[in-house]
């Protein structure tokens, strides 16, 4: 049975079969982010138009993006973080496009990915 408190996270879930101590099996419920909420978050990420902000620095982008993504991770990812993996991958792809546009010498995906990994390692 699903309890709906009206939040988008409660409107979607991942059901799995889970064994009980006595050997019986029941369907468990993991609250996950709904498809509608993911669509809204993807629209927000697209509206940032990160690849067009070549005048911004890494710190500017981090100040803009981090609080929003941390809020999404805290709210929607509290119980099932895997539901947000596609969104995080999309943000990383947009950041790679930003790197490629800002630093012309990193014009290929391979070079931009390497630069991003080095920046994260620092």
């Amino acid at each position: 049975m699903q309890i709906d408190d009206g939040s988008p996270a409660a409107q979607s879930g991942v059901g799995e079969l889970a064994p009980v101590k006595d050997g019986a099996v029941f369907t468990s419920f993991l609250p996950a982010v709904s498809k509608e909420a993911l669509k809204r978050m993807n629209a927000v990420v697209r509206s940032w138009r990160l690849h067009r902000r070549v005048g911004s620095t890494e710190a500017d982008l981090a100040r803009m993006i981090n609080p929003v993504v941390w809020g999404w991770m805290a709210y929607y990812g509290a119980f099932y973080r895997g539901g947000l993996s596609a969104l995080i991958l999309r943000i990383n792809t947009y950041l790679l496009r930003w790197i490629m546009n800002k630093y012309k010498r990193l014009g290929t995906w391979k070079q931009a990915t390497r630069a991003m990994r080095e920046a994260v390692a620092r």
Side-chain angles (χ1 to χ4, degrees), residues 4 20 22-23 27 31-32 36 46 50 54 61 78 84-85 96 98 105 111 114:
D4 187 5
V20 186
D22 64 0
T27 303
E36 293 81 21
R46 281 192 309 272
L50 294 177
V54 293
L61 293 179
L84 295 174
S85 60
L96 284 173
W98 174 81
R105 69 181 185 280
Q111 291 171 329
R114 184 171 0 115

Side-chain angles (χ1 to χ4, degrees), residues 66-105:
N66 286 347
V68 177
V69 174
W70 286 345
W72 289 337
M73 293 297 287
Y75 184 76
Y76 293 107
F79 300 104
Y80 189 66
R81 284 193 183 257
L84 295 174
S85 60
L87 177 71
I88 301 303
L89 182 63
R90 176 184 296 265
I91 293 171
N92 282 342
T93 302
Y94 284 144
L95 288 173
L96 284 173
R97 284 175 61 191
W98 174 81
I99 288 172
M100 290 168 54
N101 286 333
K102 177 149 178 103
Y103 305 105
K104 295 299 182 184
R105 69 181 185 280

Side-chain angles (χ1 to χ4, degrees), residues 29-85:
F29 176 76
L30 295 173
V33 62
S34 68
K35 289 183 181 180
E36 293 81 21
L38 267 177
K39 285 180 184 179
R40 283 194 307 271
M41 288 186 279
N42 282 324
V44 169
V45 171
R46 281 192 309 272
S47 74
W48 290 339
R49 298 177 64 188
L50 294 177
H51 65 287
R52 305 284 295 178
R53 296 178 181 262
V54 293
S56 301
T57 65
E58 294 88 355
D60 293 338
L61 293 179
R63 273 193 299 274
M64 182 184 79
I65 295 171
N66 286 347
V68 177
V69 174
W70 286 345
W72 289 337
M73 293 297 287
Y75 184 76
Y76 293 107
F79 300 104
Y80 189 66
R81 284 193 183 257
L84 295 174
S85 60

Side-chain angles (χ1 to χ4, degrees), residues 2-34:
Q2 178 178 349
I3 299 173
D4 187 5
D5 63 358
S7 67
Q11 295 173 4
S12 175
V14 178
E16 296 180 2
L17 295 177
V20 186
K21 288 183 184 178
D22 64 0
V25 177
F26 71 97
T27 303
S28 64
F29 176 76
L30 295 173
V33 62
S34 68

